[in-house]
Amino acid sequence: MSTSHKRPVTHLLQEYTPPSYLVETVDLCFRLSPTATSVTSSVRYQRHPDCTALAPLHLDGEELELLSLKLDGVALQKGDYRVSPSSLVIAKVPETFVLEMETRINPQGNTALEGLYLSSGNFCTQCEAEGFRKITYYPDRPDVMARFRVRIEAARDLCPVLLSNGNLVEQGSLDAGWHFAQWEDPFRKPAYLFALVAGDLTCVEDHFTTRSGREILLQIYVEHRNRELCDHAMLSLKKAMKWDEEVYGLEYDLDRYMIVAVDDFNMGAMENKGLNVFNSKYVLARPETATDNDFLGIEAVIGHEYFHNYTGNRVTCRDWFQLSLKEGLTVFRDQEFSADLNSAAVKRIDDVRILRQTQFPEDAGPMAHPVRPASYVEINNFYTVTIYNKGAELIRMQQTLLGKEPFNRGVRHYLKKHDGQAVTTDDFVAALEESSGRDLEQFKRWYSQAGTPRVALTTHYDQKNQEYHLLCRQTCPPTPDQTEKQPFFIPLAVGLLDRDGRDLPIIIKGQQGRQTTRILELNQAEQEFVFEQIPEGAALSPLRGFSAPVILDYPQPDEELALRMAHDSDPFNRWEAAQQLARRELLAALERESDDQPVLSELFVASWCRALVDSEADGNLLTQLLTLPSEVYLGEQMTAIDPGRIHRLRQAARCQLAQAGREQLLLRYHAGSGNELYSLDPQQVGMRSLKNFCLSLLMLQEKTSSIELCLRQYEFAGNMTDRLAALSCLVSSSLPQRETVLEDFYQR
Ligand code: SER
Ligand code: ZN
């Protein structure tokens, strides 16, 4: 967040220069007080080998009161240094030296929540991206990595708990009811990963034994009243630790791992080395108050911050242009983690939804920027869906191009090669190239070109030669600062279904292999692929798994969409086909003059009913598949929007489905309402979501039997997911019970 005295400066990637002075060690001592905290620092500097003796020492600092300054033990005089609102510059320094200083800061007056601040009376820090400069004068840039030792002193009654990064090496009592703790982080880190937490917190403990047999202490610190709400977060942490060992061979590297939950926090959570700080909503949960989605959200964020320990902390960013180096990769890792533990299909659908609903508009608007921006003014404005989520798609595409195992090997190679370094997205791609032998030069355009590419497909069947021709054309609209785009390297995963919906082996003219899903590599504006030995009537399943963040133009016939809705072996694409068909019919109905004809075609209703009885499909996926596109989404597809009419027609379509599927809906509802103990087992989550979906359709008709089911579910629900689902059915009904149930829910 920029402060008023800072002049806006444009930072350019191409103007990057290495730091003139590197830091070996940092010793900090905090004497905590809400309005006047004293910070003494002793920092050992060394001139960068490539730098001249004339280079001044430039330190960042904001809103600091400088109390003393000594170089190699000698106090500096006024003329020896210059202080501005954002820096401290010392014109002449030796090749190596120790700089000691004391600064005073006001945590209570810090409402920007950057640097050291108070949250519900507890001391807490947030240093990413540039918060450390509000603690002391320091080269606050990620390519300066140092070993930190931190001593914290505070009144014991105010702050019984004193935490910082790394391992606790000493603690004890001081005069006048004060005490101290001494922390040491053996790993070099940039200042943005520094953390301090102090206050009156309670701690829930557990242990994790790494695969090499080391015992790690796990601690979650929360306010006393929240003590009972940490079980799920703790379990998620242990799952994340295990997953990273199994998938990437990465073992936790300190003796303890701490998570602190605070109410006042700008971001979701922060991966400070060994001491994560979380917004409480991503830690605290129990079934009576949290839904399945809340639980999954917590698991994902806990995983995300844990995975940063390697992708971000052990290997960090050279500068903030490289933010996606750690964020894109870590989002990708948390997506894979959630997919492995839960419904992979629904995870992918949800992630693509986020991308389409938030990143595509960003890429099409005035804020469009590349995943690796070339310039920025305020780095805090660059924590965007493009950096995070499109960044994750770039990683996913590289996995698709290399294959899962070679990709994982590549990531391990990257982490080993650059351990303890601050690097760039180019370094990441280069490591994948080295380990796999693939050339990803053209692929790198994804990092430097903004905008969502469009891929238009044209198909044509050559009956005589039994050949299926697929013509692909890619374009990318201009974005601010970039009018001309070079062709992207797009992995397009495709399948072909025969008339019965079975996957056909795909033999590509001029290439080896006959897999049923093939990755076409688009690298020119226009390309044709020919599939051989294809029987007549095959249906294309394009962009399987959403293999690239592009907009596809492929008007597929209704019958083919219906076939894919029933049979596509790629779960994402099965959902996508259902959505496309539903969207087409809903939009057509919205275009019609009058509303007296049924909204949905017989083809759609029949396909929908067939999907409803598909007992083999994952319940999570089925719920998504059977749900019609949202009103908001439909509105976005139209030029003139009439929200009332969109609502009416969508409701009419739902009634049509409810009527056609009534018996099946009831059967599925009852099959899903067992009395098992609440768990987040994906099958149980799927049963719940499908059951509640069925209930919502059954309730459209407001038959007495359905109303009874719904009221019973509301009353006897053993978890929030079921209770909330029943509540929302009742609230959107016209039943007299609405008010009493709402009042009851509020009381609970
Ligand atoms: N670096 C933090 C995170 O992504 C802040 O957003 O977890
Ligand atoms: Zn992150």
Side-chain angles (χ1 to χ4, degrees):
M1 260 90 316
S2 63
T3 37
S4 49
H5 60 254
K6 256 207 299 191
R7 253 181 304 123
V9 182
T10 304
H11 302 268
L12 297 177
L13 169 61
Q14 63 186 39
E15 285 179 359
Y16 171 82
T17 45
S20 304
Y21 293 87
L22 302 171
V23 176
E24 282 168 32
T25 54
V26 182
D27 277 278
L28 295 169
C29 177
F30 291 80
R31 271 176 282 273
L32 296 175
S33 133
T35 52
T37 287
S38 142
V39 184
T40 52
S41 67
S42 171
V43 178
R44 183 176 292 278
Y45 288 93
Q46 177 164 42
R47 190 179 301 139
H48 194 287
D50 299 342
C51 207
T52 81
L54 296 174
L57 175 72
H58 184 285
L59 305 179
D60 304 295
E62 283 173 23
E63 292 160 43
L64 302 171
E65 198 183 334
L66 183 62
L67 301 179
S68 72
L69 184 61
K70 278 192 215 163
L71 198 149
D72 285 334
V74 179
L76 288 182
Q77 303 303 310
K78 276 270 172 308
D80 299 336
Y81 62 95
R82 219 176 56 240
V83 175
S84 82
S86 60
S87 68
L88 166 67
V89 180
I90 305 176
K92 259 189 77 190
V93 290
E95 194 175 342
T96 63
F97 57 96
V98 174
L99 194 68
E100 292 167 89
M101 71 175 83
E102 180 176 3
T103 51
R104 193 154 52 199
I105 51 179
N106 176 2
Q108 193 169 293
N110 180 353
T111 48
L113 313 188
E114 287 179 312
L116 181 66
Y117 64 94
L118 287 176
S119 171
S120 318
N122 297 311
F123 290 89
C124 169
T125 54
Q126 169 59 31
C127 292
E128 186 179 4
E130 299 179 334
F132 193 75
R133 61 188 63 186
K134 295 185 172 177
I135 292 173
T136 186
Y137 289 100
Y138 190 77
D140 190 7
R141 42 186 292 170
D143 54 355
V144 173
M145 299 174 84
R147 240 179 300 280
F148 279 67
R149 280 190 295 254
V150 180
R151 180 181 166 97
I152 311 169
E153 300 181 4
R156 199 190 283 275
D157 58 348
L158 186 69
C159 297
V161 170
L162 307 173
L163 309 174
S164 191
N165 316 85
N167 299 316
L168 179 65
V169 290
E170 202 189 337
Q171 56 186 333
S173 297
L174 298 167
D175 287 347
W178 277 50
H179 70 149
F180 77 95
Q182 176 76 45
W183 293 84
E184 209 173 297
D185 183 353
F187 294 94
R188 293 167 66 243
K189 66 168 177 285
Y192 84 85
L193 291 173
F194 165 81
L196 177 155
V197 172
D200 186 8
L201 300 166
T202 182
C203 161
V204 177
E205 283 194 358
D206 205 332
H207 291 270
F208 179 83
T209 310
T210 68
R211 58 177 189 165
S212 74
R214 284 173 47 244
E215 183 95 340
I216 314 293
L217 173 62
L218 311 179
Q219 297 183 314
I220 301 183
Y221 288 89
V222 294
E223 286 178 43
H224 293 268
R225 64 192 158 93
N226 293 328
R227 214 187 139 76
E228 307 308 320
L229 303 180
C230 303
D231 293 357
H232 177 67
M234 188 64 91
L235 189 65
S236 301
L237 175 59
K238 289 193 278 187
K239 285 179 179 170
M241 295 178 93
K242 191 153 184 291
W243 185 86
D244 220 11
E245 289 187 349
E246 284 170 358
V247 177
Y248 288 99
L250 298 173
E251 197 173 312
Y252 186 60
D253 52 8
L254 287 165
D255 301 339
R256 74 159 84 190
Y257 193 87
M258 296 172 281
I259 290 175
V260 182
V262 298
D263 289 338
D264 306 295
F265 203 66
N266 276 342
M267 317 210 195
M270 179 62 211
E271 69 266 23
N272 318 300
K273 183 83 189 185
L275 179 57
N276 289 180
V277 178
F278 274 60
N279 193 317
S280 319
K281 72 171 177 208
Y282 290 115
V283 176
L284 310 175
R286 64 160 166 248
E288 302 81 64
T289 55
T291 62
D292 291 352
N293 280 333
D294 296 331
F295 280 111
L296 295 179
I298 290 172
E299 183 181 88
V301 179
I302 295 256
H304 180 93
E305 305 311 330
Y306 177 73
F307 302 140
H308 266 314
N309 190 50
Y310 280 90
T311 50
N313 301 4
R314 287 282 287 261
V315 180
T316 195
C317 304
R318 187 191 72 177
D319 51 64
W320 293 118
F321 300 101
Q322 320 296 331
L323 182 55
S324 195
L325 174 76
K326 73 178 178 82
E327 295 305 344
L329 180 52
T330 306
V331 170
F332 169 79
R333 272 152 55 70
D334 85 54
Q335 290 176 347
E336 293 288 278
F337 167 61
S338 294
D340 282 354
L341 267 57
N342 307 293
S343 166
V346 171
K347 178 65 183 152
R348 190 66 190 133
I349 290 169
D350 285 342
D351 290 337
V352 173
R353 258 206 205 104
I354 294 172
L355 204 72
R356 284 174 169 164
Q357 282 170 11
T358 59
Q359 200 280 324
F360 283 12
E362 184 167 279
D363 240 350
M367 287 299 293
H369 55 275
V371 168
R372 189 201 54 212
S375 73
Y376 67 80
V377 176
E378 173 54 65
I379 186 58
N380 283 320
N381 296 337
F382 269 88
Y383 286 74
T384 61
V385 271
T386 298
I387 303 289
Y388 276 68
N389 300 62
K390 186 176 181 179
E393 294 300 318
L394 268 51
I395 304 292
R396 185 175 299 279
M397 282 191 281
Q398 294 175 83
Q399 182 194 49
T400 303
L401 286 168
L402 265 57
K404 218 167 183 150
E405 267 317 302
F407 170 82
N408 281 11
R409 273 200 302 279
V411 173
R412 288 181 205 209
H413 172 62
Y414 157 75
L415 291 172
K416 209 165 163 181
K417 179 177 176 196
H418 296 295
D419 192 16
Q421 296 177 359
V423 300
T424 64
T425 55
D426 283 347
D427 291 321
F428 175 80
V429 177
L432 292 189
E433 288 182 315
E434 280 164 22
S435 101
S436 70
R438 289 221 42 167
D439 178 356
L440 295 169
E441 195 50 40
Q442 188 183 351
F443 183 84
K444 286 198 280 189
R445 286 179 189 159
W446 280 105
Y447 284 97
S448 55
Q449 297 191 139
T452 307
R454 298 192 83 102
V455 176
L457 302 180
T458 323
T459 58
H460 139 81
Y461 184 64
D462 172 353
Q463 197 172 17
K464 189 164 125 263
N465 297 309
Q466 297 227 313
E467 282 177 357
Y468 192 97
H469 293 239
L470 173 62
L471 183 67
C472 312
R473 276 198 203 91
Q474 59 158 304
T475 53
C476 183
T479 47
D481 305 333
Q482 287 178 332
T483 40
E484 292 291 314
K485 313 276 178 179
Q486 301 296 312
F488 289 86
F489 188 15
I490 301 173
L492 185 75
V494 299
L496 271 179
L497 278 62
D498 73 11
R499 285 205 159 115
D500 299 321
R502 281 182 305 237
D503 268 332
L504 288 162
I506 301 183
I507 302 158
I508 304 174
K509 203 174 212 162
Q511 294 186 24
Q512 304 234 312
R514 43 182 295 122
Q515 301 92 323
T516 52
T517 297
R518 296 296 296 262
I519 313 296
L520 308 180
E521 296 183 358
L522 313 191
N523 52 17
Q524 297 155 38
E526 196 174 309
Q527 265 162 295
E528 195 189 44
F529 297 88
V530 178
F531 307 145
E532 296 176 319
Q533 301 168 38
I534 302 297
E536 192 169 7
L540 184 71
S541 169
L543 200 64
R544 280 187 158 174
F546 200 69
S547 61
V550 300
I551 295 170
L552 203 60
D553 295 322
Y554 179 49
Q556 193 161 26
D558 289 355
E559 289 68 28
E560 292 189 12
L561 286 176
L563 181 80
R564 289 177 46 211
M565 173 176 172
H567 299 289
D568 202 319
S569 65
D570 182 74
F572 175 85
N573 260 12
R574 194 176 162 196
W575 168 79
E576 180 89 324
Q579 293 293 297
Q580 273 182 37
L581 192 53
R583 179 185 66 185
R584 193 176 286 175
E585 301 207 349
L586 284 158
L587 290 177
L590 282 160
E591 296 278 304
R592 285 197 285 269
E593 297 276 301
S594 89
D595 294 351
D596 30 298
Q597 157 182 3
V599 178
L600 300 171
S601 70
E602 274 173 37
L603 175 72
F604 184 85
V605 176
S607 314
W608 187 91
C609 287
R610 225 171 301 128
L612 183 61
V613 298
D614 181 347
S615 53
E616 276 168 31
D618 161 18
N620 296 285
L621 173 66
L622 223 42
T623 308
Q624 301 293 327
L625 190 91
L626 297 169
T627 303
L628 295 175
S630 73
E631 290 171 27
V632 176
Y633 177 76
L634 291 168
E636 281 166 6
Q637 314 294 309
M638 305 176 64
T639 36
I641 302 169
D642 175 352
R645 183 139 185 270
I646 296 179
H647 177 73
R648 252 191 346 268
L649 283 183
R650 187 172 179 276
Q651 281 301 86
R654 293 177 71 220
C655 289
Q656 231 185 311
L657 297 173
Q659 214 151 20
R662 181 161 178 90
E663 266 169 50
Q664 273 309 317
L665 286 167
L666 262 175
L667 282 176
R668 288 234 107 161
Y669 177 82
H670 287 297
S673 13
N675 281 332
E676 61 283 275
L677 219 57
Y678 180 77
S679 94
L680 279 177
D681 171 75
Q683 211 182 329
Q684 230 198 66
V685 174
M687 294 263 263
R688 266 195 295 279
S689 75
L690 189 55
K691 170 188 74 178
N692 288 324
F693 171 79
C694 292
L695 181 66
S696 72
L697 283 198
L698 287 166
M699 279 293 282
L700 283 177
Q701 297 169 310
E702 295 185 10
K703 292 215 164 87
T704 328
S705 56
S706 312
I707 298 167
E708 268 167 24
L709 283 183
C710 192
L711 284 170
R712 247 220 317 263
Q713 173 167 326
Y714 175 81
E715 189 158 346
F716 297 106
N719 60 75
M720 191 57 159
T721 306
D722 284 348
R723 176 158 294 127
L724 204 58
L727 177 74
S728 83
C729 290
L730 291 163
V731 169
S732 43
S733 75
S734 56
L735 299 170
Q737 292 95 325
R738 284 178 59 164
E739 302 302 325
T740 29
V741 173
L742 257 180
E743 175 59 21
D744 175 86
F745 186 77
Y746 180 76
Q747 292 305 333
R748 279 172 200 260

